[in-house]
Amino acid sequence: MASEDIAKLAETLAKTQVAGGQLSFKGKSLKLNTAEDAKDVIKEIEDFDSLEALRLEGNTVGVEAARVIAKALEKKSELKRCHWSDMFTGRLRTEIPPALISLGEGLITAGAQLVELDLSDNAFGPDGVQGFEALLKSSACFTLQELKLNNCGMGIGGGKILAAALTECHRKSSAQGKPLALKVFVAGRNRLENDGATALAEAFRVIGTLEEVHMPQNGINHPGITALAQAFAVNPLLRVINLNDNTFTEKGAVAMAETLKTLRQVEVINFGDCLVRSKGAVAIADAIRGGLPKLKELNLSFCEIKRDAALAVAEAMADKAELEKLDLNGNTLGEEGCEQLQEVLEGFNMAKVLASLSDDEDEEEEEEGEEEEEEAEEEEEEDEEEEEEEEEEEEEEPQQRGQGEKSATPSRKILDPNTGTDTSDPEKVVSAFLKVSSVFKDEATVRMAVQDAVDALMQKAFNSSSFNSNTFLTRLLVHMGLLKSEDKVKAIANLYGPLMALNHMVQQDYFPKALAPLLLAFVTKPNSALESCSFARHSLLQTLYKV
């Protein structure tokens, strides 16, 4: 480091917060790459007596720096809380697991007994979970009460590794007479989907001590929701359930309602933007009526709930003396329904608990064709389940026959992008690219199939003399919602697959490197859609910086 950089670092450290056994480097924007860079941080740690909490948020820690910091932690047996969110900014994905392994080993060697571990907002993906897997299974986490992994891009694979580690931690700690008693679990924005959620549900059933579960925006559908509901039923101390922005449908809502009937400590329920629909809302209302005496907040906003169902929910609040907020905004009550809803709550002297209804939609506009739409979606879900079961059977058959046949892989679902695709037409290539990338998943078979399909499509397109590469990228950015257009184009809902496909594409020889600056400029700009896919965005940015 240059002398002026060292002086700046020393000045920053002089302002480090020290209070109540806590040493904080939060938000200092320290760039700790080498042992030399971390020298002053290490001294602060070594000189701090009775260190109970270490905050490293808002900095960036490299592999070598993590190794020497871990060495300093080996003597800090009293450390209980690790606030380590957002501490790998700008790091390559390959750097994060070894850094986490070193830090975990330091805690294990110290004999620390952690109470809180926060690794949120670190885009480490499934591989990163392996970086702290050993720590979770060790005695350092037998006392863990709060585990926070929000927005880490774990995916299905990471969710399964995490579930197995928590289960093993519970088994080992139980053998010593003090079972793991996890209270708070946070894992929003991790693309856990059904399989990841189901694996974690199994771990939750084993643990049984959860008080708060936050798993919003994970692409979980009714099979995963049902598994979680069954797990929640054996966690009687649950106070907060936040599953915002997943997809319940009636099946998931009914399963969750059955669980709510058995719980007595619940204070906060957030099922907003979960497509609970009217039948699901009625089931939840029935569960709440006469139960959940401590309920303080219920969020069923943007769930496609109609007037009568919303009124049933309001009527279920009659004996909820502690209720502070009821959110039914963004549903289809209509003007008259909104008035009736307010009247019901006024009758209970609860008018003040009702959240704004400013985004309510006209009931008449939504009714036409809605039942048919619901039935079609339910049929589609059933078809998907049947397909999954068929694929599982096909994958098992070759093994049962003892033959060397290759089992069925998800690549069967991916259409050949060259079939019927005019690769001289940028708009058609964009459509094919988005169709292929939309099925991207972290499992090796799916990932490789998508990448192969993208290569086949884009190599043919970019190598065509009549193909306009600039128009292709511009139209792709429009369809991804990253660039405004005069023509009405509905942006795709989930950018994770396209971003991961782009990350692969820009590394290939056929990709025109002259397009990289334009793509970099738009991926760098603030955008809510990109923020919900931080891991994929981070990976693409890292690649573009090197192109």
Side-chain angles (χ1 to χ4, degrees), residues 86-105:
D86 189 22
M87 59 178 273
F88 295 112
T89 303
R91 297 292 168 186
L92 296 175
R93 180 173 173 177
T94 53
E95 292 182 88
I96 301 176
L100 288 172
I101 289 171
S102 293
L103 292 168
E105 289 174 347

Side-chain angles (χ1 to χ4, degrees), residues 417-438:
N418 293 316
T419 303
T421 301
D422 179 2
T423 51
S424 65
D425 186 338
E427 190 70 27
K428 291 180 180 178
V429 175
V430 167
S431 178
F433 176 86
L434 292 174
K435 186 172 185 178
V436 169
S437 62
S438 68

